[in-house]
Amino acid sequence: SAHASSVDRRPPPPPPPPAAVPEAPPRKALPPFTPESSELFAAMDQYLAGAGIPLKDLFDHFDYPPRGCLSVKQCGKMVRAVLPRADIGMSEARYFHFMMDFEGHGDVAIENLEALKEHCTLFAMDLHPKRNFEVKDLLLRLAGYMTVQDMSAKEVFKQFEPSGSMDVPALGALFSMLLPALVRDATDLRDLKDLKD
């Protein structure tokens, strides 16, 4: 019994060491290429064609360590690579990031970038470095939101006003999500409703 008692008093075995966190794979260098255009997606097309890489490779280069999305800072770095001759500060980076962040999550996925690029082509529009939002930005964000969410315009409006009648508060909620800088007070909301009517 003395022997059994001494065995019982032995300390428990130490816990296993924590699993090692896998390191991110090394980031591939981007081929050097300087586009001529001063607009984002025209320059991006020139960059991808000249560098001989797909859009996903460009996105993945700045999504590092890999998360599947770009922060404002990473988005700014990507835009500066594509528009090296432009003056891209944090205000311009926030503009580009906001235009791609349709859902307002704070991050931009490759699907967001692809959707905005597609709709700029469809609308014969493009984005250039700027600090403030314009009314056309609202249309681009709405189109991108519908694409990413796989929703029709009717479904988007019903999301904010189930009854089907868009009153001022419902319009305010929709426009505030899509373009907060456009809606500042109740007067702006009334003006927007007048345009709709």
Side-chain angles (χ1 to χ4, degrees):
S1 63
H3 177 70
S5 171
S6 65
V7 171
D8 294 340
R9 287 197 297 270
R10 283 185 299 181
V21 177
E23 292 186 8
R27 182 164 54 168
K28 295 179 183 177
L30 287 175
F33 184 75
T34 302
E36 296 297 325
S37 177
S38 61
E39 295 186 313
L40 179 64
F41 292 117
M44 191 171 286
D45 284 339
Q46 292 172 5
Y47 186 98
L48 298 175
I53 59 173
L55 180 61
K56 183 71 164 58
D57 283 5
L58 178 69
F59 182 92
D60 288 345
H61 177 82
F62 294 99
D63 173 26
Y64 192 85
R67 295 186 306 126
C69 51
L70 300 180
S71 65
V72 174
K73 187 175 181 181
Q74 291 169 326
C75 185
K77 288 180 177 179
M78 180 183 70
V79 172
R80 276 192 290 271
V82 174
L83 297 172
R85 293 190 173 94
D87 183 15
I88 308 293
M90 278 305 293
S91 295
E92 291 78 13
R94 287 191 187 96
Y95 165 75
F96 285 117
H97 186 271
F98 179 80
M99 285 302 298
M100 299 178 203
D101 180 20
F102 311 126
E103 305 96 329
H105 294 162
D107 287 309
V108 170
I110 182 66
E111 293 81 9
N112 297 58
L113 177 58
E114 291 170 340
L116 187 61
K117 189 174 186 295
E118 174 188 349
H119 288 298
C120 277
T121 302
L122 288 174
F123 297 156
M125 295 164 58
D126 209 330
L127 304 180
H128 59 275
K130 57 185 175 183
R131 296 170 177 265
N132 300 314
F133 307 108
E134 300 174 4
V135 174
K136 70 176 183 178
D137 297 336
L138 177 69
L139 301 176
L140 280 175
R141 276 181 56 82
L142 178 57
Y145 181 82
M146 289 163 55
T147 297
V148 171
Q149 297 293 325
D150 192 21
M151 299 172 71
S152 66
K154 185 176 181 180
E155 288 171 326
V156 172
F157 277 83
K158 281 192 72 174
Q159 187 179 28
F160 289 89
E161 182 47 77
S163 70
S165 175
M166 289 292 281
D167 56 12
V168 170
L171 274 174
L174 172 62
F175 286 120
S176 293
M177 179 199 73
L178 292 171
L179 201 61
L182 185 66
V183 181
R184 291 186 177 83
D185 55 35
T187 303
D188 291 338
L189 293 180
R190 283 193 293 272
D191 291 343
L192 287 169
K193 191 169 191 302
D194 289 341
L195 289 175
K196 169 183 170 288
D197 295 338

